[in-house]
Amino acid sequence: MRDESAPDPLEARIAARLGQLRAEQGLSLEALAERSGISRATLSRLERGEASPTAAMLGRLCSLYGRTLSRLMSEVEEAAPEFLPAAAQEVWTDPQTGFRRRIVSPPGAGLRGEMLEGRLPPGASIAYAAAPLPGLEHHLWMLEGALSLTVEGVTHRLTAGDCLRYQLHGASRFDCPGDGPAARYVIAIIQP
């Protein structure tokens, strides 16, 4: 069992990578704050590992850095093996919404696809202002619950067994109704 007072190793690696990406882009904290809409103080705390980023924050930063969240996660892991048992799949939880993201099949060298499982609690919403990479191909398959997914202004209502395929170029929003179970789904993502 992990010591709750100790820093989460995955979050520490994410924090370090966010700092590296900003440096690689030659951005000051002020410039990144202006572009991302996230305050300079919050960005500084994120990079030092003193605050946990929300899904919305990571979405904005990944968009600015031209990568998916899964790609960011893969950059902070060791090389992805061909076989990845469930116990070895990285799970990240958004501290603001409780959204859980399991990286089922992380991006790998020479591969353009990845798969993730999402679990959005009842009543929770996550909005992304832009696609991390314009033209990402998504195949979302609902496993349990219900989900309202708005892609570039068009809302789709999905329930267990439904599949929605789309290319993402702009904003998206995931909403789980508050009167039912968590929305649980798999997204297959293919790089453009």
Side-chain angles (χ1 to χ4, degrees):
M1 178 174 243
R2 191 175 76 78
D3 175 6
E4 293 299 322
S5 65
D8 180 274
L10 177 61
E11 288 195 11
R13 293 190 310 266
I14 291 170
R17 184 63 181 139
L18 289 174
Q20 290 169 345
L21 288 167
R22 183 175 59 79
E24 288 170 11
Q25 299 278 325
L27 295 171
S28 66
L29 281 171
E30 290 80 13
L32 183 58
E34 185 176 309
R35 290 183 185 181
S36 69
I38 302 169
S39 76
R40 181 194 181 288
T42 298
L43 289 169
S44 178
R45 291 183 65 226
L46 291 176
E47 289 183 10
R48 291 192 316 264
E50 296 173 358
S52 296
T54 65
M57 286 178 189
L58 286 175
R60 283 188 242 157
L61 293 171
C62 284
S63 180
L64 288 169
Y65 296 139
R67 59 195 10 89
T68 64
L69 179 54
S70 296
R71 178 93 30 209
L72 173 70
M73 297 290 194
S74 74
E75 291 171 354
V76 299
E77 297 174 347
E78 296 176 10
E82 288 181 13
F83 174 70
L84 193 60
Q89 296 168 7
E90 291 283 350
V91 177
W92 174 79
T93 302
D94 180 350
Q96 183 177 37
T97 63
F99 168 67
R100 284 187 39 198
R101 178 188 185 100
R102 174 184 299 277
I103 302 172
V104 177
S105 178
L111 302 174
R112 294 180 46 207
E114 58 194 79
M115 268 190 347
L116 65 93
E117 175 192 30
R119 186 181 298 262
L120 190 61
S125 297
I126 299 175
Y128 300 98
L133 291 172
L136 276 177
E137 183 180 341
H138 283 199
H139 298 255
L140 187 145
W141 179 37
M142 284 296 298
L143 301 176
E144 297 173 6
L147 181 72
S148 289
L149 174 55
T150 304
V151 180
E152 299 171 24
V154 178
T155 300
H156 306 272
R157 299 202 189 323
L158 297 103
T159 58
D162 293 346
C163 182
L164 179 65
R165 303 180 303 175
Y166 56 96
Q167 283 189 307
L168 188 59
H169 293 278
S172 61
R173 181 181 176 94
F174 294 70
D175 294 288
C176 179
D179 58 352
R184 186 171 156 253
Y185 52 87
V186 170
I187 301 180
I189 302 171
I190 296 95
Q191 302 283 328

